C-alpha cells in the first residue's frame, strides 16, 4: 500500500499524521511518500526524523512544483 501526503509548512502536525498512518499498516507492506511543496518551517526535519525510525517514509522534494496539492500528489504518485 502506498500513501501520498502532500505538505507545505506542516511541521506542527506531520509527525502525528505519519505516526497515525504507520499505526494502521496492520502488517501490510507500506510506503508513505511525503511530497514537500517548499516548506520553510522545519517540515523536512520532521520527515527526516521519522525516516530514522521508519524506512517506509520517503521524502520527495517538490519545491520546484507549482504550489498546491494537485501537483504535489501527482509527483508523489
Amino acid at each position: 500500500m502506498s500513501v501520498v501526503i502532500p505538505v507545505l509548512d506542516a511541521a506542527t502536525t506531520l509527525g502525528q499524521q505519519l505516526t497515525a498512518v504507520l499505526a494502521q499498516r496492520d502488517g501490510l507492506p507500506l510506503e508513505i511518500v511525503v511530497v514537500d511543496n517548499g516548506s520553510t518551517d522545519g517540515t523536512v526535519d520532521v520527515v527526516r526524523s521519522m525516516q530514522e525510525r521508519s524506512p517506509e517514509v520517503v521524502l520527495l522534494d517538490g519545491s520546484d512544483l507549482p504550489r498546491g496539492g494537485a501537483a504535489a500528489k501527482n509527483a508523489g504518485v
Side-chain angles (χ1 to χ4, degrees):
M1 171 173 59
S2 294
V3 177
V4 177
I5 303 175
V7 295
L8 178 62
D9 294 330
T12 59
T13 58
L14 185 59
Q16 274 186 308
Q17 185 177 13
L18 292 171
T19 299
V21 173
L22 286 165
Q24 295 178 43
R25 67 179 146 196
D26 199 26
L28 298 172
L30 176 64
E31 169 189 52
I32 303 172
V33 179
V34 179
V35 184
D36 179 50
N37 207 199
S39 296
T40 59
D41 70 341
T43 295
V44 171
D45 296 329
V46 171
V47 177
R48 288 188 178 139
S49 173
M50 185 63 76
Q51 286 178 311
E52 291 175 9
R53 295 171 287 174
S54 303
E56 302 93 336
V57 178
V58 176
L59 176 62
L60 180 63
D61 180 8
S63 59
D64 61 335
L65 298 171
R67 294 287 188 260
K73 288 176 195 172
N74 288 338
V77 172

